Amino acid sequence: MTKRHVSLPDGAEATLRGFVSEVDDRLAAASEPDELADAVTETLVDLNGARDAYESWQNDGDVSPTAAARLANFDPRNATLESEYYAEKDEDAFARSKPLQWLWRQFDNTPLADNVEFALRFRRMLAGHLFESVGDGVRLFKGISMTYGHNIEMGDNVVVHDDVHLDDRGDLDVGDRASISDGVHIYTHDHDVVDQTEVENYHTVIDDDARVTQGALVRAGVRVGENAVVGSRAVVQNDVPDHHIAVGMPAKSIKIKPGWESVAEPVEDAGVNRQAERRLDDEVPDDIDVFDEFQRDRSPPDA
């Protein structure tokens, strides 16, 4: 193994435990979305050392428009996220996940986000509130983005490195001990090739012990199999069978991990697309005022 144990000085360790525990308690005590938004606001005010300025502003103190905008931005109710505009989103689930996702993103803009031991434990705690489920020993590094957060299920000892995008517009499962390297994008939604406003959501799976390496893209509805490897910069459009190594654009299985040949599907049988089997039946609520942001004729002349 190439890792070693690292420990903080006793005083810093005590500070870390107190910090994470306090925020965990704040979030756990919030039973309603507004209470959760208040807890997130208070946490961000403290994280940014803005308590005096924030309270002055709240009490109608004289602040510049720029300062007012900065202070208002601590409150997730004063912010919008891209996923907020998605017509098919679950309003009740999003009402709770939005403040938590705002805290996740804003935490990553603070100096504490670069203190690895602090940041890993904080994000693991926050994932317990935000994700559908999250296992033990998960390590979540800086710059991870997601669509909602509440459609992610993550097993034990998962590692997700810097600048990864976990799209959970559909459902995303990440199995035990899976590793997702820097810059990976994993998708659970897809756009129609003719009408780009038509979106379909899928169930995407990164199975136990799978490794998706640097800069790869996993398309919606794909399963990366148990103990499989996806090579750097690969574009995965079809399932990767258990124990296979897939590389390229589009990704293709090129070999089986040495020693797993007797239990793995033959390489020549790989490359099956099972996206249709993992399509989710999402419906837009009847009371939503849906609009076409492009306002163009999408009817092909040869249809």
Side-chain angles (χ1 to χ4, degrees):
M1 299 296 288
T2 56
K3 298 288 175 65
R4 64 177 67 192
H5 290 290
V6 176
S7 59
L8 291 169
D10 291 343
E13 174 66 27
T15 299
L16 184 157
R17 290 180 181 274
F19 159 64
V20 173
S21 178
E22 180 184 43
V23 178
D24 191 17
D25 289 344
R26 277 182 181 176
L27 301 179
S31 58
E32 299 295 331
D34 278 340
E35 293 176 353
L36 187 58
D38 287 339
V40 167
T41 302
E42 293 296 312
T43 300
L44 290 175
V45 167
D46 290 340
L47 275 171
N48 286 275
R51 175 59 59 186
D52 290 345
Y54 184 78
E55 291 183 352
S56 175
W57 174 65
Q58 288 288 88
N59 292 316
D60 298 321
D62 186 20
V63 300
S64 70
T66 300
R70 179 179 67 87
L71 294 167
N73 202 54
F74 294 138
D75 189 336
R77 288 164 294 203
N78 296 328
T80 57
L81 301 175
E82 180 183 352
S83 52
E84 197 157 354
Y85 299 89
Y86 295 162
E88 83 285 359
K89 77 176 187 296
D90 182 327
E91 293 286 356
D92 291 337
F94 186 76
R96 182 164 183 84
S97 63
K98 178 186 174 179
L100 295 167
Q101 190 178 162
W102 189 245
L103 177 55
W104 186 295
R105 290 171 179 239
Q106 297 309 303
F107 171 79
D108 271 0
N109 292 326
T110 69
L112 275 177
D114 288 316
N115 185 329
V116 173
E117 190 65 23
F118 266 72
L120 289 179
R121 290 200 226 176
F122 181 83
R123 295 191 197 96
R124 169 61 187 82
M125 176 276 296
L126 187 51
H129 294 279
L130 176 57
F131 293 176
E132 173 68 20
S133 63
V134 61
D136 296 328
V138 169
R139 290 184 290 159
L140 303 163
F141 284 84
K142 189 176 180 180
I144 299 168
S145 61
M146 60 209 75
T147 310
Y148 303 126
H150 59 250
N151 290 328
I152 296 173
E153 295 190 31
M154 194 169 284
D156 295 334
N157 298 304
V158 173
V159 180
V160 183
H161 288 276
D162 291 350
D163 302 319
V164 167
H165 181 58
L166 302 175
D167 164 44
D168 66 314
R169 193 166 177 174
D171 293 340
L172 175 59
D173 290 355
V174 182
D176 296 341
R177 300 170 301 280
S179 176
I180 301 173
S181 297
D182 305 68
V184 167
H185 285 215
I186 300 174
Y187 287 95
T188 62
H189 83 278
D190 216 342
H191 292 259
D192 184 80
V193 295
V194 174
D195 178 3
Q196 67 193 66
T197 67
E198 183 178 334
V199 174
E200 293 183 342
N201 293 327
Y202 295 88
H203 180 196
T204 303
V205 179
I206 311 299
D207 222 324
D208 295 350
D209 298 297
R211 183 166 178 245
V212 183
T213 66
Q214 190 269 333
L217 183 150
V218 178
R219 187 181 177 189
V222 162
R223 174 182 175 266
V224 176
E226 180 183 344
N227 193 39
V229 175
V230 172
S232 177
R233 300 291 180 181
V235 177
V236 184
Q237 302 201 55
N238 301 317
D239 283 5
V240 180
D242 298 348
H243 317 302
H244 278 226
I245 299 171
V247 301
M249 305 170 66
K252 296 181 179 180
S253 290
I254 58 167
K255 64 185 297 185
I256 297 167
K257 280 187 170 182
W260 299 90
E261 292 87 354
S262 65
V263 294
E265 182 179 319
V267 169
E268 56 269 22
D269 294 338
V272 177
N273 188 307
R274 296 185 174 88
Q275 185 185 52
E277 300 173 17
R278 302 190 184 106
R279 185 177 181 276
L280 303 176
D281 294 324
D282 293 296
E283 294 184 1
V284 176
D286 294 335
D287 59 347
I288 297 296
D289 182 18
V290 177
F291 68 96
D292 174 10
E293 61 185 303
F294 299 107
Q295 296 295 313
R296 60 185 176 86
D297 181 6
R298 303 181 302 275
S299 301
D302 301 327

